[in-house]
Amino acid sequence: MPLYTCPTCAATYSSDTPRWRCDCGHYLHYTSPAMFTKADLANRNHTIWRYSEAYGIAPENIVSLGEGYTPLIEDRLFDQNVLLKMDQLCPTGSFKDRGTTVMLSKLKEWGLKSLIEDSSGNAGASVAAYAARAGIEANIYIPAYASAGKAAQIAMYGANLIRTPGTREDTAQAALAAAESEFYASHNWNPHFISGLKSLAYELAEQLSWEAPDWVVTPIGGGSLLLGLYLGWKDLVEAGYVAKMPRLAGVQAANCAPVYQAWVQGLDDVAPFPKQATAAEGIAINHPVKGKDLLEALRASNGTACTITEQEIWDMLPKLSKRGVYVEPTSAAAPAAIKQLKEKGLISASDKVIVELTGMGLKATDKYLEHYAFFS
Ligand SMILES: *Cc1c(COP(=O)(O)O)cnc(C)c1O
Ligand SMILES: [Zn+2]
């Protein structure tokens, strides 16, 4: 059964052999062959694999580090009750593990022995960890500006670390050039990565007793997180497990806001953004591959897009950490956005609001010592 389809040229492919894009050069969509049933869940482990039917991976190929089922804790931001989704607690310290566990399981199923990935750091660390677990050689390209903590983490997992000068896009180009000879396991391209991120919607629904919240607020970089959320909620609505989909709010750094720009201009696709430096390195992607799908997801969920400034990021981080919640700078984007979403009247006091926390603060030790100058 052909499970990959190209949204532009309508080509279809089997998912039995390795492939990361269409012959026409476009990214592919993956259609899952099945959906889990609620009754199945009672006896299953608390990882994203409790929803395994939805990913289309044979059980013997699962490469897992116990990812998912992260806590959902109550807090208050800008006088709004919110629920913080603690995905910074995933095995490698970012939500990327939800997607990586499925992508690497698929690579194992294909019998691949090595891969190439490019990343600002977290996807690289995640892919390095799961590749190590699967016995697959990982070649990870990261920009030279990425956090020292993330570079060290990638190297510690035993991956080959290639640090490239220039922008995040230069890093992607270097990886693509090398991908002529090895499999390009890019989280921004691979549809199985997004399959795994659907677990976030499934899990939230289960944690909220199968009642959709009013809003899920999340950062947007390459956009896998937002797309996974959207597709996951769509599955749940179609299966009749929840009555409605939450509204999705996507947050970008004002210094790198291609999706926001296309959103406010009412466009169907995302154009490259003249990027400036941002502390939110995890969302510093000036031309996301799946821009068109992202705009569609925002519209279909009756959602919105917004931006936060560098100052708002640096102001938000101590507010969270002084409540015991330690995340990296990029993860300040979603909580910081609550202020304007309230001011614009989009979020109201009685709304149930989920704030996705994406990455662990320990990864940013070098950046925090530098910015807040604790020892000087
Ligand atoms: C990758 C990443 C994001 C952005 O996720 P996308 O799926 O690329 O939109 C946000 N925060 C952190 C910490 C990340 O590592
Ligand atoms: Zn095509």
Side-chain angles (χ1 to χ4, degrees), residues 250-270:
V251 188
Q252 298 211 286
N255 282 359
C256 185
V259 178
Y260 170 76
Q261 177 178 260
W263 172 258
V264 292
Q265 292 174 354
L267 305 178
D268 300 334
D269 207 348
V270 172

Side-chain angles (χ1 to χ4, degrees), residues 157-231:
Y157 289 129
N160 302 316
L161 180 67
I162 302 108
R163 297 174 83 228
T164 53
T167 65
R168 175 69 184 82
E169 290 66 42
D170 295 332
T171 305
Q173 281 310 316
L176 255 176
E180 297 289 321
S181 54
E182 267 168 304
F183 187 77
Y184 188 40
S186 165
H187 64 291
N188 286 321
W189 282 85
N190 195 291
H192 298 285
F193 187 84
I194 287 181
S195 278
L197 285 170
K198 296 203 287 187
S199 65
L200 183 53
Y202 304 155
E203 213 174 280
L204 285 170
E206 203 185 353
Q207 285 175 316
L208 297 170
S209 307
W210 307 102
E211 221 168 276
D214 296 290
W215 286 94
V216 182
V217 185
T218 168
I220 300 183
S224 300
L225 179 53
L226 186 99
L227 287 175
L229 267 171
Y230 170 67
L231 294 172

Side-chain angles (χ1 to χ4, degrees), residues 84 86 88-89 93 317-318 320-329 331 357-369 372 374:
L84 302 177
M86 307 282 273
Q88 82 276 21
L89 301 179
L317 291 162
L320 291 168
S321 54
K322 287 173 184 177
R323 302 268 301 146
V325 175
Y326 196 43
V327 295
E328 68 169 279
S331 307
L357 297 180
T358 49
M360 164 57 66
L362 292 169
K363 291 178 179 254
T365 303
D366 54 338
K367 310 257 150 143
Y368 290 160
L369 287 175
Y372 297 109
F374 297 113

Side-chain angles (χ1 to χ4, degrees), residues 23-254:
D23 288 345
C24 82
H26 203 267
Y27 60 81
L28 293 166
H29 288 160
Y30 172 74
T31 311
S32 171
M35 181 64 173
F36 64 90
T37 68
K38 281 202 233 178
D40 289 335
L41 300 179
N43 304 313
R44 294 196 174 173
N45 71 17
H46 286 83
T47 75
I48 77 151
W49 292 97
R50 62 196 275 103
Y51 315 109
S52 64
E53 287 83 356
Y55 318 128
I57 302 284
E60 65 272 20
N61 293 319
I62 292 174
V63 182
S64 175
L65 289 163
E67 53 292 317
Y69 235 80
T70 54
L72 191 59
I73 67 167
E74 292 178 5
D75 212 332
R76 225 171 138 72
L77 294 171
F78 305 104
D79 290 326
Q80 174 72 39
N81 289 332
V82 297
L83 291 165
L84 302 177
K85 181 61 171 161
M86 307 282 273
D87 265 1
Q88 82 276 21
L89 301 179
C90 283
T92 76
S94 85
F95 78 91
K96 297 280 195 316
D97 294 345
R98 294 178 181 278
T100 309
T101 180
V102 176
M103 182 170 76
L104 261 291
S105 298
K106 191 66 189 175
L107 262 65
K108 185 178 171 199
E109 196 158 282
W110 284 331
L112 292 181
K113 294 286 172 256
S114 69
L115 64 81
I116 287 177
E117 157 77 314
D118 61 273
S119 154
S120 68
N122 283 334
S126 185
V127 167
Y130 285 85
R133 195 83 180 168
I136 293 173
E137 181 191 286
N139 299 290
I140 312 284
Y141 289 70
I142 65 168
Y145 65 74
S147 295
K150 295 177 186 174
Q153 191 184 4
I154 293 168
M156 284 299 286
Y157 289 129
N160 302 316
L161 180 67
I162 302 108
R163 297 174 83 228
T164 53
T167 65
R168 175 69 184 82
E169 290 66 42
D170 295 332
T171 305
Q173 281 310 316
L176 255 176
E180 297 289 321
S181 54
E182 267 168 304
F183 187 77
Y184 188 40
S186 165
H187 64 291
N188 286 321
W189 282 85
N190 195 291
H192 298 285
F193 187 84
I194 287 181
S195 278
L197 285 170
K198 296 203 287 187
S199 65
L200 183 53
Y202 304 155
E203 213 174 280
L204 285 170
E206 203 185 353
Q207 285 175 316
L208 297 170
S209 307
W210 307 102
E211 221 168 276
D214 296 290
W215 286 94
V216 182
V217 185
T218 168
I220 300 183
S224 300
L225 179 53
L226 186 99
L227 287 175
L229 267 171
Y230 170 67
L231 294 172
W233 285 108
K234 197 160 164 258
D235 286 349
L236 293 167
V237 171
E238 278 166 13
Y241 298 173
V242 295
K244 62 156 193 178
M245 167 166 318
R247 301 176 74 179
L248 303 178
V251 188
Q252 298 211 286

